[in-house]
Amino acid sequence: MASQIAVITGAGSGIGRAAALALGRAGFDIALLGRNKARLDETARDLTRHGIRSLAIEQDVADPQGVQDAAERIEHELGPIAVWANCAGATVIGQTAVLAPQDIRRATEVTYLGSVYGTLAALNVMRRRGQGTIINLDLAPALRGLPLQAAESGARAALRGFCASLRPELRHDGDRIRVVMIDLPAINTPRYGLTRNRTGKRLKPYGAVYEPEVAAEAICRAAFGSSHSISIGLGALLDPLRALVAPFYREARLADHGYKAQMSYDWTEGTQPDGLYEPVAGAFGAHGPFDEKSRRLDSPLSIFVPSNLRAGLFGALAAMALASLAGHMKKSRKD
């Protein structure tokens, strides 16, 4: 694997930086894409210290031609791209009614279209060889549809549908190119302090929060494995079941508790810098400010039980729940 090339977007900080280091240790040479050259160079220096070749390219993923040009440059200077991981993302958080349309558009351009442009650039070079792995990030079921997160939820849902349509097309054409979606819970990255925030309060993770190395390990599993979907945490199994059995309960609970679960008690002072349109200056590593409450290991269920088997377990549990509900309703009608 030493001669294989992995491309990471959003590689200057957060999940992208952790993934670059993890794939580098796994034997890949790494191409780093991001908007802040200084942070990319810092990541590249970390890779160099471990004897890993790298190439840092300053590039906004919302520019389709720029992303395609970057892919061609990587193929020319590093070698054939085997793995492409779309880790770049940006969003705006706040009640939907008060969000500026241009902010929603920009969040969609970076998170959804940026991943689409990365996928298309990867496909263009990988189809020359008929093989490769493209990795995109999704929200764990527990994070889908959160209040205040309409821009992020919409972008990830669009990406989920895009990848679902792409897979059968690749299979139809006989390409051995895998498109893997990774369902992520809250990850402790610097984004909580760098996101455009319209709530007036400081942001915090919703639910269980994991260190970025856990997400990076899932990206490595996607690169070396055969699954089309990888989930982190036990909630990946339980949350869809709860949503199926009691969908109105979740909506009511999010209405009652979803706001305060994402905001601290501290009000922000004035307008805070954010990275929605331009990167915020400064050095930011992989980790955010929540190390003390973050989990450093994935659930054993996620690690040792394949995604397809977990899907089967979920289906079986859902069927049992529906059968029990149907039996209860039938008994009620008889009574």
Side-chain angles (χ1 to χ4, degrees), residues 66-319:
V67 175
Q68 183 60 61
D69 291 344
E72 296 291 351
R73 179 182 169 188
I74 293 163
E75 291 257 320
H76 177 72
E77 295 187 26
L78 280 186
I81 297 170
V83 172
W84 185 298
N86 291 304
C87 299
T91 192
V92 55
I93 293 179
Q95 280 200 287
T96 306
V98 303
L99 298 182
Q102 63 269 24
D103 289 350
I104 298 176
R105 177 177 179 175
R106 173 60 179 172
T108 305
E109 287 174 342
V110 176
T111 303
Y112 170 58
L113 289 178
S115 296
V116 169
Y117 298 152
T119 298
L120 294 177
L123 284 175
N124 187 55
V125 296
M126 288 177 179
R127 295 191 96 170
R128 299 168 186 172
R129 299 171 290 276
Q131 61 184 3
T133 300
I134 301 169
I135 302 168
N136 286 308
L137 306 183
D138 195 1
L139 298 172
L143 302 187
R144 297 172 188 172
L146 289 182
L148 309 177
Q149 298 272 5
E152 176 85 0
S153 291
R156 297 298 178 186
L159 182 59
R160 197 180 314 132
F162 174 83
C163 292
S165 291
L166 175 59
R167 288 192 191 102
E169 294 178 6
L170 294 171
R171 185 165 185 169
H172 172 271
D173 292 347
D175 287 312
R176 291 183 293 124
I177 299 174
R178 292 188 306 117
V179 179
V180 186
M181 294 292 288
I182 299 180
D183 299 338
L184 293 178
I187 303 294
N188 176 33
T189 70
R191 68 171 294 179
Y192 292 96
L194 302 176
T195 293
R196 178 155 295 194
N197 179 7
R198 297 308 190 199
T199 69
K201 292 189 174 183
R202 299 189 186 280
L203 302 175
K204 63 180 182 179
Y206 178 88
V209 56
Y210 291 80
E211 294 288 29
E213 287 78 14
V214 177
E217 189 270 340
I219 290 173
C220 283
R221 285 159 52 197
F224 287 99
S226 59
S227 176
H228 286 168
S229 176
I230 292 176
S231 300
I232 293 175
L234 189 58
L237 177 65
L238 299 181
D239 289 317
L241 181 60
R242 283 195 289 261
L244 179 65
V245 175
F248 299 109
Y249 169 77
R250 182 176 190 267
E251 183 176 307
R253 179 169 177 77
L254 288 177
D256 291 339
H257 303 284
Y259 283 66
K260 64 182 180 182
Q262 300 180 74
M263 297 183 290
S264 71
Y265 294 107
D266 301 324
W267 292 92
T268 56
E269 299 179 1
T271 301
Q272 302 295 312
D274 64 73
L276 184 59
Y277 292 92
E278 297 293 337
V280 178
F284 301 100
H287 288 233
F290 303 101
D291 281 333
E292 290 186 1
K293 61 186 297 186
S294 297
R295 303 180 183 184
R296 291 165 175 78
L297 294 174
D298 194 0
S299 164
L301 183 66
S302 294
I303 296 174
F304 296 112
V305 181
S307 296
N308 57 350
L309 181 54
R310 274 183 280 128
L313 289 172
F314 166 67
L317 290 172

